[in-house]
Amino acid sequence: MLMAFGAIIAGLILLVWSADKFVEGAAATAKHLGMPTLLIGMVIIGFGTSAPELAVSAMAAADGNPGLALGNGYGSNITNIALIVGLTAIIAPIAVHSQVIRKELPLLIVLTLIAGAQLLDGELSRLDGWVLLAVFAAVMGWSIYQGMKGKADPLAGETGAEIIAHPMPLKTAIIWLVIGLILLIVSSRLLVWGAVTIAQSLGVSDLVIGLTIVAIGTSLPELASALAAVKKNEHDLIIGNILGSGIFNTLAVVGLAAAIQPLSVDPEVLYRDWTLMLALTVGLFLMGFGLAGRRKQVSRVDGTILVLVYVAYTGYLLSTVVTAGAT
């Protein structure tokens, strides 16, 4: 099992690094091909921060580990809101004032409800997966349309401009694009193998491993982005990145996994994991909109509550591991 832990650590490090290089290469290549900076920020970088989740879930589904694929998608959403937003708010309260966040938060709630409805029959079929991917395509199409009309979040443009601020030759960009993609596939396979091996050794479901170890690891790009945004005092970028990642995970990550291989869904996914994911999203909505006369921000108190919720949830999951090991 020591080798499996080593595979997870090495896989996570390589996964995050290769995703970063893949995004750099893809953004530079797109710029050389004439793609507008705004769309590079909205599409390519949006894909890039969730590339680890997408690669791992797709690989897990292809290898016949649906619990790991679903756990990674939902677990990343839970980790992003409860742990990353929580920790960031404790460091510095996060003001919420971007108009687009007011649109994306309700959208994420609606998408989460759609995802929950698909879980009711205990299975995510290929049809369910294609429906999620179709909705994702519609959301992306709407975002691109808004961007072309000049109504997109300026943060997308700023992010795109930042990543292409230092021009990269086309040949170099293509090399990094290819290397990043290859290493994404290799590192995700390494990570999936390690996670499945540990789950089998401990006698627990790969769902639990996906919700904890893998979800935390694949959320590292969001954590890095959040900490960087804190230093720059770019509060909207923190929430915007988390919400964008949440939409991507709910639709594209889970959708692609189900399209590759139908996923059987245990009852606890609906009443435990999905319910918490919805509650956290609604909670973030209430914090951000400043109801009951409170300021429109995620305060340090809010951040502390979010982190405590995450600790309690993870502690419960780990207790199931201990129980399983004892039996």
Side-chain angles (χ1 to χ4, degrees):
M1 192 162 66
L2 187 61
M3 185 178 294
F5 274 110
I8 286 181
I9 295 172
L12 285 174
I13 293 173
L14 188 59
L15 188 69
V16 173
W17 183 84
S18 60
D20 183 60
K21 293 303 178 184
F22 174 75
V23 170
E24 287 184 12
T29 301
K31 188 62 178 176
H32 279 288
L33 296 177
M35 178 179 284
T37 300
L38 178 66
L39 294 188
I40 292 175
M42 291 172 60
V43 180
I44 295 179
I45 298 172
F47 272 80
T49 55
S50 292
E53 288 93 336
L54 188 66
V56 170
S57 288
M59 193 65 66
D63 287 350
N65 298 291
L68 184 60
L70 191 59
N72 180 39
Y74 287 179
S76 292
N77 279 1
I78 293 170
T79 301
N80 287 343
I81 296 178
L83 183 62
I84 295 178
V85 172
L87 286 176
T88 306
I90 291 173
I91 296 172
I94 306 173
V96 181
H97 50 77
S98 172
Q99 188 65 31
V100 76
I101 292 177
R102 294 173 179 267
K103 299 175 183 177
E104 288 180 354
L105 266 169
L107 175 61
L108 183 55
I109 292 174
V110 171
L111 297 178
T112 303
L113 290 172
I114 292 174
Q118 291 185 330
L119 300 177
L120 291 174
D121 61 356
E123 180 187 24
L124 280 175
S125 65
R126 280 196 174 91
L127 176 61
D128 291 330
W130 283 112
V131 167
L132 291 176
L133 291 175
V135 174
F136 176 71
V139 171
M140 288 302 302
W142 177 81
S143 298
I144 292 172
Y145 173 73
Q146 292 291 100
M148 298 304 289
K149 290 179 61 177
K151 295 182 180 180
D153 190 351
L155 291 171
E158 292 173 10
T159 308
E162 181 178 342
I163 200 166
I164 62 172
H166 307 289
M168 182 185 296
L170 179 59
K171 182 178 179 180
T172 305
I174 294 175
I175 289 174
W176 279 122
L177 174 64
V178 174
I179 291 176
L181 180 59
I182 292 173
L183 291 181
L184 262 176
I185 296 172
V186 172
S187 58
S188 60
R189 178 167 290 280
L190 187 64
L191 178 58
V192 168
W193 175 82
V196 172
T197 301
I198 290 176
Q200 292 174 345
S201 300
L202 295 177
V204 298
S205 68
D206 51 4
L207 172 68
V208 173
I209 300 298
L211 288 166
T212 51
I213 299 174
V214 178
I216 293 174
T218 55
S219 294
L220 290 178
E222 284 82 4
L223 177 59
S225 297
L227 294 178
V230 167
K231 293 180 181 179
K232 298 178 182 178
N233 200 33
E234 295 176 335
H235 296 118
D236 277 359
L237 188 57
I238 300 171
I239 301 296
N241 185 39
I242 295 300
L243 294 179
S245 178
I247 293 171
F248 194 97
N249 290 335
T250 303
L251 297 177
V253 172
V254 176
L256 179 60
I260 293 174
Q261 180 72 36
L263 312 177
S264 59
V265 180
D266 295 331
E268 60 263 28
V269 173
L270 180 61
Y271 70 74
R272 182 190 65 196
D273 310 316
W274 175 85
T275 300
L276 178 60
M277 186 171 70
L278 177 63
L280 288 170
T281 306
V282 173
L284 191 60
F285 176 90
L286 296 177
M287 295 171 191
F289 272 71
L291 300 180
R294 51 167 281 161
R295 296 182 63 183
K296 297 178 180 180
Q297 68 174 13
V298 182
S299 66
R300 285 191 172 91
V301 173
D302 295 331
T304 302
I305 293 173
L306 288 173
V307 172
L308 289 176
V309 168
Y310 182 80
V311 170
Y313 170 72
T314 305
Y316 173 76
L317 291 178
L318 293 178
S319 71
T320 64
V321 174
V322 174
T323 302
T327 55

